[in-house]
Amino acid sequence: MPASPSTARAINDRLALRLLQEEGPLTAGQLKQLTGLSRPTVADLVERLAAAGLITVVGESGEQRRGPNARLYGIVADRAHLAALDVRTAGVSVLVSDLVGRVLAEASVPIGGDTGTGPALEQAVTLVERVAKEAGADRLHTVGIGAPGLIDPATGELRDSTGLPVWHRRLVAALQERFPEARVTVENETNLAALAEQREGGARDRDTFVLLWLGHGTGAAVVLDGTIRRGASGGTGEIGFLPVPGTVSLPSATDCEGGFHSLAGAAAIGALAVRHGLPGDPKGDGPVAAGTVREAGASADPGSAADRFLDALADRIAIGAASVVAVLDPGCVVLGGEVGQAGGEDLAARVESRLRRMSPLVTEVRATDLGGTAVLRGALLTARERAQEELFAPPER
């Protein structure tokens, strides 16, 4: 059944807006060439999108031609402002961008573990307000949040997870109260990091891969055929709870100690470094563990203590990665997070060589391109997509 005229217009409008988003400003002639639409159809959609306040003339093509240069049309970037948050157990980072994803302002604030729920929420929300003001945003259209823990697939809300501060679960409501016109959503941080790696990072050429997050804790995100898989309860990728050899106990439903987290979390990396005679902090967080791995990589001469440390770390990471590979056969594993970035291609190559010995399934192991910034980038990408879904559907005339 052929599409109705209104449906066809909506499809054409979205196509043109996506092209302007991805390619930048374009002339009507370039839109005609890229969309395959007729000249009158392109002229109509340009007029329609301009009248809706979605695109505007941003310059001229500058081509050498007779007569006036062709007008360049671009998305009205300040039509909407977006905020992205990376929520950690010890603080929050915020950035505000325009509709095309250009970052206008960003900042972070630490939030101590002994901070009460009310003061912690106030610190986080005040930071968002301050960054929005610095960005010149009178209002926020969409707010995307990346947070640790499980996201309930039925409600889209952050579930109660042992070990996470109470203010995490109340942040969405607090932001919604302070920014009543904004659309506020929350997503698991590792899933957002995987989205960023797929769009902008180490998995740009992959529709199927697993992101193995290595930071303060461990996690995984599963992308199959271009889609993030969340599971029945939103827990796909909770690899920290994976029972593995090499630990002294088993994890429980409320504590991942004894699981893969005990082998490859930040504290475990610090303890492993000390065991090899290297500086390390067994109570360290993700950035501290990343610094340990980075310094080891810079001094890892063959047979050195640093070299043996990285081999031992690769052994541990490979145990978790091999379990994931055996079940999913993703063909590619990206080592993400601060530790994955610090280890770089050297650590990735060590893990890959171990996977070759442990599994018949051919798996490429890559280092992240984005590291700890991936969560914010993923939150921004998600916020932008949701804003565009609404704004890129102009009302019928």
Side-chain angles (χ1 to χ4, degrees), residues 277-304:
L278 302 176
D281 181 5
K283 297 181 180 179
D285 58 9
V288 173
T292 299
V293 172
R294 186 177 297 107
E295 291 174 11
S299 58
D301 296 324
S304 66

Side-chain angles (χ1 to χ4, degrees), residues 5 12 23 42 44 60 81 99 108-109 116 118 134 146 160 169 197 241 251 264 279 288 304 308 339 380:
N12 293 339
E23 305 292 336
V42 169
D44 286 344
E60 296 182 344
H81 287 97
L99 188 56
S108 300
V109 64
E134 291 175 359
D160 186 2
R169 299 195 307 278
E197 292 288 354
F241 287 89
V288 173
S304 66
R308 292 192 297 273
V339 173
L380 176 58

